Amino acid sequence: MSQAPSPALDERRAQLAVNLARVRSRIDAACAAADRDPAEVTMVAVTKTYPASDVRLLAELGVLDVGENRDQDAAPKAAEVASAGARVRWHFVGQLQRNKARSVVRYADLVHSVDSVRLAGALADAAQRHRDRPLEVLVQVNLDGAVDRGGALRGGDDPDREIDAVAAEIAGRETLRLAGVMAVAPLDWDPERAFAGLAEIAAGLRAGYPGAVVVSAGMSGDLEPAIAHGATHVRIGSALLGMRSTLR
Ligand SMILES: *Cc1c(COP(=O)(O)O)cnc(C)c1O
């Protein structure tokens, strides 16, 4: 459903359309360089800090995958967009506390940021009560081993945060579906190295779980190397919506 006419909305729509065309052409060029079909790459518009009206404008422009990183913002935004009659797929991409699982499972279609056995368990329990179909989830992988950052680890001393243990918990729960992996490239790393490492982990996971085909990697600044290394989902915030005033 489109919104009531207003000059401010028209201007915003025009700006989003220009940004969208730029991002799409970057994705197309990256796919051409990697000999991939752009249809294999889903762009998730990360709308954090931006209002529900932007989500509706993006939906009118054909962007139907939307990402948020905080439940406090995402839950009311999803409700507002739904009550306006717009249908989008909500991706939860941020660090998630277990006590938010009950809220997130109500609106999220795909949770990218599952990085512990206990969080997977909390989402599975919540999905059982509050959803009528399985919740798709990705194992968020920590690529540099900095334990204070989000992400499950390869090996390490904490079984709750071990990649294979998290994957096994998800795969063992009827209310979850293990769809693949997600990572954020560490700031101080060459993104090529980060996404090559993620591709290796993704391939390892697919060997055990053939349905785990999603590789969520790449943001506004590094979508090209992510696509070169097999990203199926890129998460684009500032290149599409503008610079955020806060560091989130
Ligand atoms: C904010 C955010 C993005 C988008 O970042 P941009 O650099 O603005 O494109 C992607 N992924 C996650 C997990 C985020 O929190």
Side-chain angles (χ1 to χ4, degrees), residues 46 48 69 93 182 184 219-221 235-238 244 248:
V46 180
K48 62 188 181 192
N69 73 335
V93 304
M182 177 272 223
V184 178
M219 318 198 302
S220 293
R235 308 178 307 270
I236 308 299
S238 51
R244 293 175 297 275
R248 276 177 46 194

Side-chain angles (χ1 to χ4, degrees), residues 94-115:
Q95 278 207 13
L96 179 55
Q97 309 287 315
R98 272 176 290 143
N99 63 10
K100 301 283 198 241
R102 247 186 320 164
S103 173
V104 168
V105 300
R106 290 174 207 244
Y107 59 83
D109 295 286
L110 178 59
V111 175
H112 291 227
S113 44
V114 178
D115 62 356

Side-chain angles (χ1 to χ4, degrees), residues 20 24 43 55-65 88:
L20 177 61
R24 290 244 194 258
M43 186 197 68
V55 178
R56 295 175 59 191
L57 289 172
L58 285 166
E60 288 170 30
L61 293 168
V63 176
L64 300 177
D65 287 271
V88 298

Side-chain angles (χ1 to χ4, degrees), residues 33-50:
D35 206 10
R36 297 185 58 197
D37 180 349
E40 293 170 19
V41 179
T42 299
M43 186 197 68
V44 178
V46 180
T47 52
K48 62 188 181 192
T49 77
Y50 288 97

